[in-house]
Amino acid sequence: MKREVLEGSKKDNCLSGKSIITLFFENSTRTRLSFELASKYLGATAANIAASGSSVAKGETLIDTAKTIDQMAADVIIIRHSSSGAPHLISNYTNASIVNAGDGMNEHPTQALLDFMTMQEKKGGFQGLRVAIVGDVKHSRVARSNVYGLKKLGADVVLGGPATLMPADIEQLGVKAYTDIDRAIEGADVVMGLRIQLERQKKGLFPSVREYHKYFGINEERLKLAAPDAIVMHPGPVNRGVELSAAVIDGDRSVIGEQVTNGVCVRMAVLNLLAGK
Amino acid sequence: MRLLIKNGHIIDPKNGVDEVRDLLIADGVILSAGKNLADEDAQVLDASGKIVAPGLIDLHVHFREPGYEYKEDIETGSKAAAKGGVTTVVCMPNTKPVIDNGALVQYVMNRGREIGLTNVLTCGCISKGQQSGELSEIGELKAAGAVGISDDGRPVLSPSLMKKALEYAQMFDMPILSHSEDLDLVDGGSMNEGYMSTYLGLRGIPKSAESVAVSRDVLLAEETGGRLHVCHVSTKNAIEAIRNAKKRGAKITAETAPHYFSLTDRACDGFNTNAKMNPPLRDDEDVQAVITALADGTIDAIATDHAPHHFDEKELEFDQALNGIVGLETSLGVGVTYLVKTGKLTLSQLIEKMSVNPASILGIDKGTLGEGKPADIVIFDCENPYKVCVHEFESKGKNSPYDGFELYGKVKTTILGGKIVYQED
């Protein structure tokens, strides 16, 4: 899949005759585009539904919306929703395969898969790999999916972030959690920053962007604590100078651009597995 | 009409009875209890191998009428009560409109009497419109027959309003049934904050949302000398606050619900909205604390918080689904199975929590099988397990987390004022 994407032969037909719908209840640029391109590269018919432009705005329930799409012979419905468990809910009512493109604070499995693909390429495997995930862990579906998958693959996962943005009892998932992010980054082979929603500040979860960056931002100085060949990842979009300094984002350890490429490839693979002939 | 219940194991904690006896009922009251009673004119009910106890009294139900009859009405709620062995219920006033005046109190009680399957009592609101602004006309509510006041479903937001309510209601000997919750701490949460909320990616409700509010309210009760009944207690620290205030002599009583001693937040796994209620299911530590508090008397009563909802209001995203579960048709079974069969309480203690103490909290002459008392009676089986099936419920609400559970304590017969209102097929 990656070869197809990189070599420019972006027209497979393994999903020709299949219809793939993206049903997005939250704003998204890259994830939606990534899925849409993945569908098209594989020859599927792709259509988008943005929640505000549909009957959802008229008060239709999620289940009814999903049933309606299903009745139009969709093969795959890709859903993003602000409520945790929304994909799980509609999967009980549809014949189409459901792909979770991010549900609330719960999971974002294809993001985790593209992260794993990137780590595999750069680090060659997961046994003994130390992955530090730093930032707003509490509200992060990316963090949760990464934790579940990385633990399964045999990596060591450490989390870092302010106490107000660390979920309750997170260590019961088999990870270490630090509020001193230097300790989280120390010796890490992979340092992953998480996006900070700036509106969290208004809710009092951290006092200011300035203080956040000072204590929890990943800069070149802090990166020296990581393994010498550590890579830096971020699910995007990045708040430059907040969770990562500009120098780190654009630095030679950053693999953020490749993550995006791998995102398309991984989603092609997922769609092919679910709907391919 | 005369009724003779033969050979039942009578549990009547108020009169210290715990043995096999016969019970003769005439003209709606208990005529006599004893061995080998005979009466030629009476209909005979054989209760061999069964428990015979005073009818259950549920301090906390939502019958949804007026306004939300699509969820439940007083008739279907009464049928559910009768099937669950519950002969007296206290309706919460968060209907539409809310019950904040005497006319609505009388409407609810009259409907209950017309239907005649359970004694339907009701609370009135603490504040007008349940808006936490001004006190409702508590004197008028009392005169119309309300047995207490409550803004249940919502907390009284202002501490000073709660203080005034405690002061004012005392004059009318009206208990305040308090839904004590700090909404600021709830902060949009939809289940207990802990490992499970982290695992499911759902916003958590900290235990302090309950314990902080309960602490406030018990201190206000202590200061004013007012009568406070704390509803649906679910956390260890709220229990500790109640225990300490009781020790200091405050006039406080408390209830918990069957789900708080039988389930934990693990029941929410798979985004199970039938395990979503407020307060939310907690963890093992809290379940243990609730059981201990029932055993040591800190928690006086078990009430269901019977909260029927339409299927469409539950079959939603977890954070969008409404709070609440039905309980009238499973409360006795859950109590027998999780408290008595496990040796935490005796059957007699369970009947105290589900009948004797609720009667005394309300100040009504029930919860007893004494001679001359109203013949409100439940007959149930403690020996043979049965399987819960929500589709057999009389309630319109099928929103129960106990569907498919195997329970002991199946109700066989319910008698209200000497009349059989439920008889198992």
Side-chain angles (χ1 to χ4, degrees):
Chain A
M1 298 284 175
K2 187 160 185 180
R3 202 173 312 120
E4 281 184 25
V5 173
L6 291 179
E7 291 174 1
S9 59
K10 294 181 286 237
K11 205 63 191 176
D12 200 320
N13 64 358
C14 66
L15 294 186
S16 71
K18 301 290 182 181
S19 55
I20 296 178
I21 313 297
T22 51
L23 175 60
F24 273 50
F25 292 84
E26 282 184 336
N27 292 333
S28 160
T29 309
R30 67 183 65 208
T31 304
R32 201 169 102 180
L33 184 60
S34 179
F35 270 112
E36 193 176 344
L37 288 175
S39 307
K40 289 180 172 166
Y41 291 171
L42 295 176
T45 303
N48 289 319
I49 301 172
S52 57
S54 73
S55 53
V56 172
K58 296 170 199 152
E60 189 175 58
T61 67
L62 175 62
I63 291 171
D64 286 345
T65 304
K67 280 182 182 166
T68 303
I69 297 168
D70 201 47
Q71 290 295 321
M72 296 183 193
D75 297 289
V76 180
I77 300 172
I78 298 160
I79 177 172
R80 167 168 288 192
H81 199 284
S82 59
S83 292
S84 300
H88 183 274
L89 178 69
I90 63 170
S91 69
N92 299 322
Y93 292 89
T94 54
N95 293 313
S97 299
I98 304 298
V99 176
N100 182 359
D103 63 325
M105 308 186 299
N106 184 36
E107 289 227 46
H108 192 354
T110 59
Q111 174 70 41
L113 289 173
L114 75 87
D115 292 336
F116 305 156
M117 180 176 175
T118 310
M119 291 179 213
Q120 175 74 42
E121 285 178 346
K122 298 293 172 188
K123 294 290 160 194
F126 296 91
Q127 283 304 321
L129 191 74
R130 184 177 165 96
V131 181
I133 303 175
V134 175
D136 180 2
V137 178
K138 184 170 187 167
H139 300 95
S140 177
R141 51 197 176 207
V142 175
R144 282 176 179 73
S145 284
N146 264 283
V147 167
Y148 300 138
L150 288 168
K151 293 301 296 177
K152 196 157 245 176
L153 291 166
D156 289 327
V157 183
V158 290
L159 305 175
T164 45
L165 294 174
M166 197 58 81
D169 301 330
I170 184 78
E171 291 195 337
Q172 286 184 38
L173 290 173
V175 300
K176 288 294 288 177
Y178 297 106
T179 52
D180 176 356
I181 71 153
D182 288 354
R183 296 192 63 193
I185 293 173
E186 208 168 9
D189 301 299
V190 176
V191 178
M192 184 187 294
L194 297 172
R195 182 176 167 78
I196 282 285
Q197 303 280 348
L198 296 176
E199 58 265 31
R200 307 277 181 228
Q201 184 199 337
K202 294 196 191 80
K203 292 203 77 185
L205 291 162
F206 61 94
S208 67
V209 166
R210 178 170 166 266
E211 176 148 318
Y212 184 87
H213 186 67
K214 181 176 174 194
Y215 289 101
F216 307 102
I218 299 164
N219 54 31
E220 286 181 300
E221 199 55 36
R222 283 214 165 94
L223 214 47
K224 287 179 186 157
L225 296 165
D229 58 348
I231 56 170
V232 175
M233 303 175 73
H234 192 288
V238 192
N239 293 303
R240 297 181 73 92
V242 184
E243 59 262 20
L244 303 181
S245 70
V248 168
I249 297 167
D250 302 329
D252 55 5
R253 295 181 178 201
S254 167
V255 296
I256 296 170
E258 290 188 68
Q259 285 178 270
V260 177
T261 308
N262 287 344
V264 179
C265 308
V266 148
R267 286 165 183 135
M268 287 166 74
V270 167
L271 295 173
N272 187 38
L273 281 172
L274 290 172
K277 288 167 210 164
Chain B
M1 162 148 171
R2 295 161 86 87
L3 198 59
L4 180 60
I5 302 169
K6 293 287 288 179
N7 300 316
H9 182 154
I10 295 188
I11 304 269
D12 180 13
K14 184 118 188 177
N15 298 297
V17 180
D18 186 349
E19 63 177 9
V20 175
R21 283 189 186 178
D22 300 339
L23 205 58
L24 182 62
I25 296 157
D27 303 323
V29 297
I30 291 161
L31 205 63
S32 59
K35 302 219 159 134
N36 301 316
L37 294 183
D39 188 297
E40 285 178 4
D41 303 329
Q43 178 189 346
V44 176
L45 263 180
D46 178 25
S48 307
K50 309 290 188 297
I51 306 294
V52 178
L56 307 180
I57 300 174
D58 192 332
L59 291 170
H60 197 129
V61 304
H62 298 271
F63 277 2
R64 306 299 191 197
E65 188 181 341
Y68 300 107
E69 290 85 353
Y70 69 95
K71 297 175 194 259
E72 187 84 294
D73 57 39
I74 295 172
E75 183 169 4
T76 54
S78 295
K79 282 182 181 168
K83 194 170 177 183
V86 178
T87 53
T88 299
V89 296
V90 178
C91 295
M92 286 296 148
N94 58 339
T95 48
K96 190 171 153 187
V98 298
I99 301 170
D100 62 357
N101 62 71
L104 280 170
V105 168
Q106 284 169 347
Y107 169 79
V108 169
M109 293 176 65
N110 286 341
R111 281 292 294 142
R113 264 191 297 273
E114 279 164 27
I115 292 156
L117 295 174
T118 192
N119 294 302
V120 177
L121 306 176
T122 187
C123 277
C125 296
I126 297 171
S127 64
K128 285 181 193 140
Q130 286 198 333
Q131 293 299 307
S132 276
E134 301 167 13
L135 290 180
S136 56
E137 293 176 334
I138 296 167
E140 180 186 280
L141 291 169
K142 169 86 179 188
V147 291
I149 52 172
S150 180
D151 275 359
D152 187 62
R154 292 175 52 77
V156 174
L157 297 175
S158 148
S160 87
L161 185 70
M162 187 55 137
K163 179 168 179 287
K164 286 166 203 145
L166 283 158
E167 286 165 349
Y168 191 86
Q170 277 182 74
M171 297 187 296
F172 300 98
D173 195 26
M174 285 281 260
I176 292 181
L177 281 68
S178 176
H179 172 119
S180 299
E181 180 186 21
D182 189 318
L183 291 178
D184 194 42
L185 283 166
V186 172
D187 196 21
S190 58
M191 68 173 291
N192 183 50
E193 180 174 70
Y195 170 73
M196 283 308 294
S197 66
T198 293
Y199 173 69
L200 292 169
L202 291 165
R203 283 180 186 278
I205 301 172
K207 296 176 185 183
S208 54
E210 175 176 280
S211 58
V212 166
V214 168
S215 300
R216 180 196 85 170
D217 292 339
V218 298
L219 290 172
L220 291 171
E222 191 178 357
E223 185 171 280
T224 56
R227 266 182 69 201
L228 180 75
H229 174 76
V230 186
C231 295
H232 42 56
V233 177
S234 71
T235 58
K236 184 172 167 236
N237 284 347
I239 288 166
E240 203 51 44
I242 293 164
R243 186 177 282 130
N244 289 333
K246 277 185 161 188
K247 271 186 206 153
R248 295 193 300 267
K251 284 187 238 161
I252 293 167
T253 53
E255 76 188 31
T256 190
H259 36 280
Y260 300 123
F261 59 74
S262 59
L263 298 173
T264 67
D265 56 5
R266 288 190 297 276
C268 299
D269 199 9
F271 302 96
N272 177 13
T273 57
N274 284 331
K276 183 183 177 186
M277 74 290 288
N278 188 24
L281 295 174
R282 308 290 185 179
D283 59 27
D284 289 314
E285 180 187 59
D286 296 298
V287 168
Q288 289 314 312
V290 167
I291 292 171
T292 303
L294 281 164
D296 73 16
T298 304
I299 295 179
D300 304 86
I302 296 167
T304 59
D305 198 357
H306 177 81
H309 287 300
H310 192 275
F311 174 81
D312 284 347
E313 296 168 327
K314 279 293 195 183
E315 195 63 5
L316 289 174
E317 303 88 308
F318 192 93
D319 54 5
Q320 302 296 311
L322 295 186
N323 281 314
I325 62 168
V326 291
L328 278 168
E329 292 168 79
T330 49
S331 58
L332 182 60
V334 174
V336 169
T337 308
Y338 287 87
L339 297 174
V340 178
K341 290 289 177 185
T342 54
K344 309 289 185 191
L345 295 189
T346 63
L347 207 41
S348 188
Q349 284 176 304
L350 182 69
I351 297 303
E352 285 178 32
K353 304 293 178 191
M354 298 187 78
S355 182
V356 181
N357 296 347
S360 89
I361 289 166
L362 296 171
I364 57 176
D365 193 17
K366 292 182 181 293
T368 163
L369 297 179
E371 286 176 14
K373 301 295 181 185
D376 293 354
I377 297 167
V378 57
I379 303 175
F380 60 99
D381 176 7
C382 269
E383 301 306 318
N384 301 296
Y386 73 101
K387 202 166 189 178
V388 178
C389 175
V390 294
H391 298 291
E392 292 168 4
F393 283 177
E394 292 290 344
S395 172
K396 288 182 189 173
K398 313 300 176 194
N399 47 316
S400 168
Y402 298 107
D403 192 30
F405 274 46
E406 198 155 89
L407 299 178
Y408 293 86
K410 181 149 216 231
V411 174
K412 297 291 169 183
T413 309
T414 306
I415 297 165
L416 179 74
K419 205 178 100 200
I420 295 173
V421 289
Y422 171 74
Q423 176 75 57
E424 192 193 32
D425 301 330

